[in-house]
Every structure is written in structure tokens, then in C-alpha cells.
Amino acid sequence: MKLIFEKSSSGRQGFKLPASDVPLKATLADKYLRKVPAELPEVSELDVVRHFTQLSQKNFSVDANFYPLGSCTMKYNAKFTEKAAAMPGFADLHPLLPQLKGGERYVQGALEVLFDCEKWLAEITGMKAFTMQPLAGAHGELTGIMLMAAYHKARGNKKKYVIIPDSAHGTNPASAAVAGYEIISVPSDKKGGMDIDKLKAVLTDEVAGLMMTSPDTHGVFNSSISEIAALIHAVDGIMYYDGANLNATMGRCRPGDIGFDVVHLNLHKTFGTPHGGGGPGSGPVGVGAKLEKFLPISRVIKRQDGSFALDYDQPDSIGYIASFYGNFAIILRAYAYMLLLGADGLKQTSDHAVLNANYILSRLKGHYQAAFDRICMHECLFSASRQTERGVHAIDIAKFLIDQRIHPPTVYFPLTVKEAIMIEPTETESKETMDVFVEAMIRADALTKTDPGSFHHLPLTMPISRPDETKAAREMNVNFFAPKA
Ligand SMILES: *Cc1c(COP(=O)(O)O)cnc(C)c1O
């Protein structure tokens, strides 16, 4: 197929398919075919390189800056894992290969990676089996809730509600609602955990299950999980563990051992794979024995002779939840990450993540109001309530940090704490980097006392200062920087 280079009536140049060589012509109606050449810009390689290099420099990334965004686990992504994902034996595989006659033998290595990942994650979480297919944390949640629904359907249970604590990530109620359940929100108690009396008050036979994050978005590990699990299991409910951030407990505590039946993990948080601009993510789902037969297809199996295969013969399965086998190149990076660190390394990861968060908590609690007066897990939570009395809000402090080349922590989440500032340094940051951050936070606090008004013009160093964020989200104009026509 050859492209024809042409000038359009407006004088711009572009490429066009020759009429004789239009393979789509047979399938597309005439009215959809291009009458004039597409106006593609003509630029040199150097201009393209400059354009993308400059864009990459505008991108705020962990490779260049501290990024303590709470709940998002913006840890450094080891370059070693990129190497693994680029290996031609994996990168050049076609996703349809396993389904072609004789194709299976070419994908044995890839299937082994999936098989091992499932096995290792099952070991880490105390679950019976895993699926690597879900394409994000929220997708894992939806898969998990669909497994929950399949379980109740198979048992003839009439279930209507999913219970979710008020500190949960917003995707939890969204996933349960998409799967057809109504949500009951349970408030947190004064120490940040779920209020068990309030839970008991809403528990009925119509409860399908409970979704829980622990450590939760308060950075608090719930010490009553076994008691909560017993209550939920007593009404034949399913305990769902939101393990998006396993970073605090990996290698220390297994959800399967403390009463959870289903769990999702975010490889793009705990397992050091890139977040991407909203993807590609990966949210594998693990289940205990009672949910295993409902797992999505295909499943990776190991035959007696040691070879690997994809099995579609799963009569009770909830079916397909993703095309092919998940975000394979991301799974590969997580595989390399687990191999690199080993069991002891993963455990150390959690220890250092918790240590770092507590270091920041202890250094800042004299300046900012700690949301809970206790040791935190992988993230620490403050309220800018003292600063607010001086007219400076959490958002103002976030803007101050941007001018210091520090990505702001998560602000205004969780919703349970007013003027929330939620800081997650992760284990990959050095004490020196955390000190630079802590000192910037202390300077911000000092400035709220001497010149609170100065915050309202910040940031001064960015192309955009203070957009109307709600309007920006609703009327997204991605051409903001494009030259006006
Ligand atoms: C990030 C996160 C999610 C959602 O994960 P996505 O991959 O962004 O869909 C769910 N729960 C918690 C606690 C999270 O931190």
C-alpha cells in the first residue's frame, strides 16, 4: 500500500490513500471516505524530539521530584523492571498466539510468568487463587464484587447491600453500585477505625458483604478485623479487602489469615509498576477457596508434564472481564520487581514505608494537627485546621509546595477529616529528600503566621496558576497550549 502526498485546497500538505489501493473501501460507505487529504503536520525528526522532550519535562514525575501523594503510593519504578518488560521474547509476542494451532509452545514463558505471579500473590495475601486480568484497582474491585454476586447467586441468597466504611476510596462504593448493590456507609470511630456498634446496627441477612481497606485511608490498621469478619460471615456475607496499598503490610500480615475472602492489589502502587496517566494499571484479584470456581476466564493452568496452558473450561466462571490476559507488560514488571526483592526485600519494603511515614508524622505534628494521635502505617494524615484559622487552607499549602518543586500530598481526602493533608512518602525516598519536604512544610506553616495573604496567589512558577478545578474537570480543554487558529 502506497500513500500519495498531496496539497489540499487550503494549501496544507498531507497524505492520502490512492483510490485503487483503499482496502477499507469495500467495507466503508462512500460518505465516510476522505475527499481531501488529511492535513498532517510536516515536521522534522528534531522538531518531534524537542516537542516530546519538552512535554516530558513538563510532566511532573517521581523520576524528577518528590511525589508524596497519599493513597497513590508514588514509589520509584526501578529501571530494571523496564528492561524485563522490553525483552523481545516477551515484547514481540502476539496476544493471539496462544489461540493459534501450535501457538501455545511459543508462549510458555509468558504463561509461566502469569502462573508464578498468581502463585506468589496468593502466598503474599494468604489467598487460594488469583487472576491477573483486571486492568486497574477499580476494575479489580468490580471483578471482586462480581465474584461476590456469583457466590450469592449460586447459593440462592437474596442480597441487596454492601457495607463500606466512610473512609473508603471513592471507587469502592462506585464498584459495588455498578455491580448492582446498594451501599450502606458506616462511620469511623474516634481512633480512625470502623465503628463496630454502628456496623452491628446496619447488619442484616440482606448484606452481601463488606469492603474494607486496612490500613485504611486514615493510615490506620484496623485491629478489630477478625471480629468484623465473624459478624459478616455470620450472615453469609463476603469480606472484601481493598489491597490497593499493600505497602504497609506486605510480608507482615496476610488478608487471608484475618478473615478476608477476596482481595484486589494494585501492581501500579505496591509492586513498583508505572501508574501511567491513568493507566495502564493492573489490579489482580485473589480469592479464598469458596470463590475460586467463579474466577474470570481464561485461567492459567500447569499440566502434569510441567507445560502451561490457558483454560477456558470453567462452567461457574463470571466470564471475561478483560481482553486477553490483563496488562501483560505491567505484570511482567511486577514479576521482575518481586524477583528482584525476594521475600525478605518485600517485607523490608513495608517496614521502610511505615518508618518513613512515621518520620514525617513525628517531624510535622508540632506544626500541623495530626488527624489521629497514634503511630501510622504507610501514610500519615494531618488536618490544616490550625492554618485555616489564619486564613490558609490545605489547597493553599499544596500550591505553596508546587513552587518548591514538590508534588503536593493528597488534600481534602479522606472526606472524614476536615482540611485533610495525607502524606505518603513510600520506602523509596531518602531521609534527605523527606527533610527537604518537611522543611518546606514548616516554612509554609511559618508563613501562615507572618503573611497568610501571600498564599492566595500561589503557585507563581507554573503555566497555570489557579484554575477553576471543577470547571476544568467538566469542560476539559486539552488544547490549552495549542496556538490559536
Ligand atoms: C488507588 C486506589 C484504588 C483504585 O485504584 P485504581 O487503579 O486507581 O483504579 C482503590 N482503593 C484504594 C485504597 C486506592 O488507594
Side-chain angles (χ1 to χ4, degrees), residues 298-368:
S298 59
R299 301 214 46 210
V300 185
I301 53 164
K302 189 173 184 176
R303 296 199 191 93
Q304 294 265 299
D305 65 1
S307 66
F308 297 92
L310 292 170
D311 182 27
Y312 293 84
D313 185 20
Q314 304 275 337
D316 295 311
S317 166
I318 58 168
Y320 291 95
I321 52 111
S323 53
F324 302 110
Y325 329 98
N327 274 329
F328 181 68
I330 293 295
I331 295 166
L332 203 47
R333 285 172 174 87
Y335 180 79
Y337 178 83
M338 287 189 269
L339 269 183
L340 182 68
L341 291 184
D344 287 341
L346 293 178
K347 200 186 270 183
Q348 259 179 36
T349 295
S350 308
D351 293 357
H352 286 176
V354 172
L355 184 63
N356 281 0
N358 278 286
Y359 176 69
I360 290 181
L361 175 62
S362 69
R363 283 210 61 194
L364 284 182
K365 70 180 178 192
H367 305 273
Y368 294 84

Side-chain angles (χ1 to χ4, degrees), residues 7 75 122 133 209 386:
K7 264 196 175 147
K75 65 168 76 174
Q133 297 200 30
R386 294 178 199 162

Side-chain angles (χ1 to χ4, degrees), residues 71 136-138 141 169 171-172 213 217 242 244-245 264 266 268-269:
S71 191
E141 290 171 27
H169 197 270
T171 49
N172 286 191
T213 314
T217 59
D242 178 336
N245 322 102
H264 91 265
N266 278 18
H268 49 291
K269 290 181 181 168

Side-chain angles (χ1 to χ4, degrees), residues 61 137 165 312 460:
S61 74
Y312 293 84
L460 302 174

Side-chain angles (χ1 to χ4, degrees), residues 274-473:
H275 284 58
S282 180
V285 168
V287 290
K290 65 183 175 192
L291 295 180
E292 186 180 4
K293 64 178 178 174
F294 304 113
L295 281 174
I297 48 175
S298 59
R299 301 214 46 210
V300 185
I301 53 164
K302 189 173 184 176
R303 296 199 191 93
Q304 294 265 299
D305 65 1
S307 66
F308 297 92
L310 292 170
D311 182 27
Y312 293 84
D313 185 20
Q314 304 275 337
D316 295 311
S317 166
I318 58 168
Y320 291 95
I321 52 111
S323 53
F324 302 110
Y325 329 98
N327 274 329
F328 181 68
I330 293 295
I331 295 166
L332 203 47
R333 285 172 174 87
Y335 180 79
Y337 178 83
M338 287 189 269
L339 269 183
L340 182 68
L341 291 184
D344 287 341
L346 293 178
K347 200 186 270 183
Q348 259 179 36
T349 295
S350 308
D351 293 357
H352 286 176
V354 172
L355 184 63
N356 281 0
N358 278 286
Y359 176 69
I360 290 181
L361 175 62
S362 69
R363 283 210 61 194
L364 284 182
K365 70 180 178 192
H367 305 273
Y368 294 84
Q369 181 64 52
F372 303 102
D373 187 18
R374 55 192 282 180
I375 286 180
C376 67
M377 297 301 284
H378 60 302
E379 54 200 359
C380 54
L381 183 59
F382 293 95
S383 162
S385 53
R386 294 178 199 162
Q387 289 73 19
T388 301
E389 283 166 20
R390 297 173 213 127
V392 179
H393 294 264
I395 187 78
D396 300 317
I397 291 158
K399 302 292 184 192
F400 175 91
L401 290 172
I402 291 174
D403 276 346
Q404 315 290 312
R405 303 299 297 165
I406 292 169
H407 195 288
T410 297
V411 290
Y412 301 106
F413 180 78
L415 306 174
T416 43
V417 171
K418 272 206 181 111
E419 296 287 332
I421 300 180
M422 186 200 210
I423 305 165
E424 182 180 11
T426 84
E427 75 285 359
T428 57
E429 297 296 337
S430 66
K431 178 172 175 296
E432 288 74 15
T433 301
M434 291 192 289
D435 284 339
V436 169
F437 167 74
V438 163
E439 276 140 32
M441 287 289 285
I442 292 173
R443 276 201 309 282
D445 174 51
L447 194 59
T448 64
K449 293 169 188 158
T450 56
D451 190 4
S454 66
F455 279 87
H456 303 135
H457 311 293
L458 306 181
L460 302 174
T461 58
M462 292 288 130
I464 304 175
S465 183
R466 293 240 180 176
D468 176 339
E469 290 179 11
T470 312
K471 187 166 191 275

